[in-house]
Amino acid sequence: MRTRLGVSAATDSLLDKRLARILAARAAEVRWGPEAREEFVLRNDRTVHVAIEQFPRLRELLAAPKGQN
């Protein structure tokens, strides 16, 4: 594409990874449907992974601050 259009678009590794995830999500959607796309996105979302890691601390995180009961 770069050669054909005569564009030298340099990307960094984070952008390359993001574009790869977007394309993979779209491929999953085309091949297996919208549910597969959503599953792919959730399985590859760093924010979701961080949130899941916090589940064991859920009671602590949702508790009222000490001294404010």
Side-chain angles (χ1 to χ4, degrees):
M1 191 64 140
R2 289 177 181 156
T3 303
R4 192 172 122 200
L5 296 177
V7 176
S8 65
T11 60
D12 63 12
S13 62
L14 290 177
L15 181 57
D16 288 342
K17 289 177 183 179
R18 181 169 185 238
L19 291 172
R21 283 191 308 272
I22 290 169
L23 291 172
R26 180 66 179 134
E29 180 178 25
V30 168
R31 178 67 176 99
W32 296 291
E35 293 84 11
R37 178 192 182 285
E38 289 303 316
E39 182 178 346
F40 177 88
V41 169
L42 290 174
R43 287 180 182 262
N44 291 283
D45 187 305
R46 182 67 188 139
T47 303
V48 171
H49 285 255
V50 170
I52 290 171
E53 289 170 2
Q54 298 305 313
F55 275 16
R57 296 184 52 222
L58 194 56
R59 288 189 191 272
E60 174 191 343
L61 294 169
L62 296 177
K66 292 181 182 181
Q68 293 188 12
N69 294 358

